[in-house]
Amino acid sequence: MFPSLIISIIAFGIAALGIITAGSRLAHLADELADRTGLGEALFGVLLLAGVTSLPDFAATLSAAMDNRPDLAMSNVMGSMAVNLVFLGIADIVYRKANLEHAAASSVNLMLAGLLIVLLTLPLLAIVSPTIAEWGVHPVTPVIVIAYLFGLHLVLRTEAKPMWFPRLTSETVPDKPSPQLQGSLIKAWISFVALAVLTGIAGWILMEAAKGIADKTGLSDTLVGGLLTALATSTPELVTTIAAIRLGALTLAVSNIFGTNCFNMLVVAAADLGYPHGSIYHDMAPVQMTWGLVSILMTAILLLGMVRRETYGIGRIGFESALILTVYAVALGIVIIANG
């Protein structure tokens, strides 16, 4: 799409900047709409904010899949999920009052972590299974969609009738509506939708630029997708999470990360649907399993941390944050060496 490497890099930078700018504003609107709609931070983060911040991943991954570049598509979405979990560790560092997973304790977040582990195993099972594709789609793809919808149903029931309650401590920050909300509700929704469209368009431009960078520099699609585009398309999660923490919306910050990763599994399903040569799971390099397995490991570690709820740890962050940052650094080194 872009005729030269310089133009591709400029387009990549502009698209990434657009995503970052929109993400910052989205956190403010999400916190406001969560209070005004009565959904609360956890459900709004799962149902709406997660989908919006996933739009760059959706647009970028689908663009690569339809262009017959399975490694670029899957490394982008799988790498994005691992990066999102790293962002949660970074958010824990930013929140200095206590361990973020302690302060933002929520039964919904526990459910989301468990659901994410289930969803992440499905494409990995498809990769190691025999080559099967009915009407150009692997049977596991509709299973991913059904599992996501059923998991969302369980999350909604957990929010409506929780059977587990976190122990309240002086460091726990419950989800409380803002005392004063001003301005038009319709205007807030219009702004939210407009920013969602902007992030989606930016994600598509980002991937088109990434294709040009990969082609003109000789870098592998796995490296470009797993590192470059994964980081860029995930910046809305980082920006919205940090912004939510500064607003005091801690539950929104955590649920946005887990909800985004769960929604990204629908992106995986869409990539298989959009891939023109049968099942995408069998045409991508086995190294893509690395990011999926790493994401499962990191999610399980975070789940342990959310149940344990350590108040303080090394550097005033929980053991889970320190571990996931270490796991990602090791995995990153392995992927770079493997594709070097």
Side-chain angles (χ1 to χ4, degrees):
M1 177 179 179
F2 300 104
S4 69
L5 177 60
I6 297 299
I7 294 177
S8 294
I9 293 174
I10 292 173
F12 188 94
I14 293 174
L17 181 62
I19 290 172
I20 293 171
T21 304
S24 179
R25 179 57 182 154
L26 278 169
H28 292 269
L29 288 170
D31 188 39
E32 176 184 343
L33 290 171
D35 294 337
R36 289 192 168 195
T37 59
L39 285 174
E41 293 175 5
L43 284 187
F44 196 92
V46 174
L47 297 176
L48 290 170
L49 184 59
V52 170
T53 54
S54 290
L55 284 176
D57 278 318
F58 190 94
T61 300
L62 189 59
S63 171
M66 294 177 68
D67 198 30
N68 194 27
R69 300 181 77 154
D71 284 337
L72 185 59
M74 294 302 285
S75 62
N76 173 69
V77 66
M78 290 293 187
S80 291
M81 285 189 274
V83 169
N84 288 341
L85 296 172
V86 169
F87 288 163
L88 201 53
I90 294 173
D92 194 7
I93 295 173
V94 172
Y95 186 71
R96 304 309 301 155
K97 295 181 180 179
N99 175 13
L100 179 61
E101 283 75 40
H102 175 100
S106 165
S107 57
V108 168
N109 288 334
L110 286 177
M111 286 291 295
L112 285 171
L115 173 61
L116 179 57
I117 292 173
V118 172
L119 292 173
L120 278 167
T121 61
L122 295 175
L124 299 183
L125 288 173
I127 292 171
V128 299
S129 68
T131 304
I132 304 172
E134 297 294 334
W135 299 291
V137 177
H138 194 283
V140 83
T141 293
V143 174
I144 290 174
V145 177
I146 293 170
Y148 174 80
L149 294 175
F150 179 70
L152 200 60
H153 168 71
L154 292 179
V155 169
L156 292 174
R157 292 194 63 179
T158 300
E159 174 70 10
K161 295 181 179 180
M163 299 299 289
W164 176 90
F165 297 91
R167 179 182 178 183
L168 297 179
T169 67
S170 58
E171 291 81 17
T172 305
V173 180
D175 176 12
K176 293 182 179 180
S178 301
Q180 294 181 345
L181 293 173
Q182 300 177 349
S184 169
L185 177 59
I186 296 177
K187 182 179 179 181
W189 274 116
I190 292 174
S191 298
F192 189 82
V193 172
L195 288 171
V197 173
L198 174 61
T199 57
I201 294 173
W204 176 76
I205 294 174
L206 195 80
M207 183 54 80
E208 293 301 314
K211 293 175 188 176
I213 293 172
D215 292 339
K216 294 175 177 62
T217 60
L219 293 172
S220 71
D221 282 356
T222 296
L223 275 180
V224 173
L227 302 181
L228 194 61
T229 64
L231 181 61
T233 57
S234 293
T235 49
E237 284 80 9
L238 176 62
V239 174
T240 54
T241 298
I242 299 301
I245 288 174
R246 290 178 175 174
L247 290 170
L250 303 188
T251 304
L252 178 66
V254 177
S255 66
N256 176 45
I257 294 294
F258 282 121
T260 296
N261 274 6
C262 288
F263 188 88
N264 274 350
M265 296 310 300
L266 296 183
V267 177
V268 172
D272 189 36
L273 287 170
Y275 186 61
H277 299 293
S279 169
I280 196 171
Y281 308 113
H282 297 114
D283 284 354
M284 62 185 185
V287 71
Q288 307 308 338
M289 290 184 64
T290 302
W291 288 126
L293 291 169
V294 166
S295 295
I296 291 175
L297 176 59
M298 295 166 71
T299 304
I301 291 171
L302 283 167
L303 184 56
L304 291 174
M306 288 191 293
V307 173
R308 174 64 184 88
R309 294 189 67 204
E310 185 179 45
T311 308
Y312 303 106
I314 300 174
R316 297 181 71 86
I317 66 173
F319 74 89
E320 67 279 3
S321 296
L323 276 177
I324 63 172
L325 292 173
T326 302
V327 168
Y328 182 80
V330 172
L332 190 60
I334 292 173
V335 171
I336 291 175
I337 292 173
N339 290 272

